Amino acid sequence: SHSSNSRRLLETALKENISAELVDLPEEIDGMELENIRCVGLTAGASVPDELIGRAVKRLESFGFPLAAPEKG
């Protein structure tokens, strides 16, 4: 189940016509269609553990999306 913060982030992206997905685990990225994607933004709700975010970053990097600007806040 996704937090209200995470759902709000998704709604904000979709409102701006940005393709967006909610995932519970970084491994879910494997099933996504990423072939025609040039840039990926990653955001997380406040309650998401840093360990899960780090795993998601590594998973995206394994698909060729480099880490550009890590931010905490």
Side-chain angles (χ1 to χ4, degrees):
S1 164
H2 300 283
S3 72
S4 60
N5 286 343
S6 294
R7 287 191 304 273
R8 178 92 169 128
L9 290 167
L10 174 69
E11 291 167 5
T12 300
L14 295 175
K15 190 185 302 183
E16 296 297 322
N17 294 317
I18 297 169
S19 179
E21 298 282 342
L22 283 176
V23 297
D24 288 313
L25 297 170
E27 292 76 17
E28 293 176 42
I29 295 168
D30 293 354
M32 294 181 178
E33 294 291 327
L34 299 174
E35 291 82 27
N36 296 317
I37 304 297
R38 294 186 354 219
C39 179
V40 173
L42 176 67
T43 187
S47 62
V48 176
D50 288 345
E51 184 266 334
L52 281 179
I53 296 168
R55 284 178 35 211
V57 168
K58 287 181 182 177
R59 183 73 64 174
L60 289 167
E61 287 177 326
S62 76
F63 286 105
F65 298 104
L67 181 60
E71 293 186 16
K72 285 261 308 183

